[in-house]
Amino acid sequence: MHESRHAAKPPASLTPVAKLAGLVRSPDFLDGLGEVLAAYFPGISYAAFHFSARGRPAILAHNLDATRHQRVLIPYIERMYLLDPIFQHWERHRARGVWSLDELAPAGFRDSDYFATYYRELGLNDEAGAFFPLTEHDCLSLSFGFYRPLATPAPDDVLAVLTYLFPLLESLIGQFWLASSLHLPSIDDQAPSQLHDFGRDVLSDRERDVAWLILRGYSSPEIARQLGITQGTVKNHRKRLYSRLNISSQGELFRQFMLFQQPHS
């Protein structure tokens, strides 16, 4: 069941959701969902994704301008989702509900190279997400971006209203999915190399485990806790993998990963 971690705050009106209910059998449902989000969260940036066990995420709808679509969404579905705390949470837990970035990311994430490259450089201050399961392995995920300048509702306000609306939206999204018989094409043959392929030729399995956690923004104490090893062992693994990849910093590791994941034409 969905266990709310946020105080629910009712919106001023349920009219936008009522209008959306009339679209559950219509191909305009996703556009209607966007109108609901715009009505409750004016100025918010959002994207709706289909998360599937069959491959990388698919973009279902969004309201980002052309520049942010190119700089944020395209890199995300091509490679960055492999590091995304929101995507990783769904992969591990298949948990329905509403979440803030800080609830899902490891401690110190905002000091990581991932946050510096994919958040700070894009002007993205914060993020929130919601998971609406469709099947055992699939969900519709809503991602909300809070950009600079912060001309959008505060993250806590978005989470509070979204928590209140969650059961209604979950029911409507589920009915739409069933009624539309929506089957997205498989993109397995287009999916990029999985994260563990990075460094496969030169790194041991444990060194690749450590590299994965470093890339996702985990600190050395958290890596030790995740893998059940000491911080000294983490330090040794980090030193060896840096040497084998001919790098000297976490930033260089991140850049190598980015280059490795670039799609080839």
Side-chain angles (χ1 to χ4, degrees), residues 35-163:
E35 292 174 4
V36 167
L37 300 177
Y40 290 127
F41 314 120
I44 196 74
S45 295
Y46 77 88
F49 299 98
H50 175 221
F51 285 175
S52 168
R54 296 188 299 274
R56 64 189 182 189
I59 304 169
L60 300 180
H62 71 90
N63 70 342
L64 278 69
D65 60 28
T67 298
R68 282 181 174 158
H69 174 263
Q70 190 64 34
R71 295 189 62 204
V72 178
L73 293 185
I74 298 303
Y76 179 81
I77 63 170
E78 287 179 348
R79 56 191 179 275
M80 296 303 293
Y81 75 91
L82 291 166
L83 305 180
D84 177 30
I86 293 177
F87 181 82
Q88 289 292 328
H89 182 81
W90 171 255
E91 284 284 281
R92 290 194 304 270
H93 302 293
R94 300 286 196 266
R96 58 192 282 272
V98 180
W99 312 83
S100 69
L101 176 64
D102 288 336
E103 288 177 305
L104 303 183
F109 178 73
R110 292 174 184 269
D111 296 321
S112 69
D113 282 278
Y114 178 20
F115 188 85
T117 300
Y118 191 69
Y119 284 78
R120 192 174 297 118
E121 286 188 7
L122 296 173
L124 187 56
N125 287 349
D126 209 342
E127 190 176 13
F131 304 113
F132 300 91
L134 306 168
T135 68
E136 182 180 355
H137 300 291
D138 296 61
C139 81
L140 186 150
S141 171
L142 287 179
S143 176
F144 299 91
F146 300 89
Y147 291 87
R148 295 191 307 263
L150 196 60
T152 56
D156 287 347
D157 291 339
V158 172
L159 290 166
V161 173
L162 197 59
T163 295

Side-chain angles (χ1 to χ4, degrees), residues 230-242:
T230 68
Q231 292 187 49
T233 302
V234 172
K235 182 178 179 180
N236 290 335
H237 284 313
R238 184 191 295 260
K239 182 177 179 179
R240 283 197 295 270
L241 74 88
Y242 280 11

Side-chain angles (χ1 to χ4, degrees), residues 183-202:
H183 299 290
L184 296 178
S186 173
I187 52 175
D188 286 341
D189 58 337
Q190 302 176 33
S193 300
Q194 292 300 304
L195 185 58
H196 268 206
D197 287 339
F198 175 62
R200 183 176 294 278
D201 294 338
V202 295

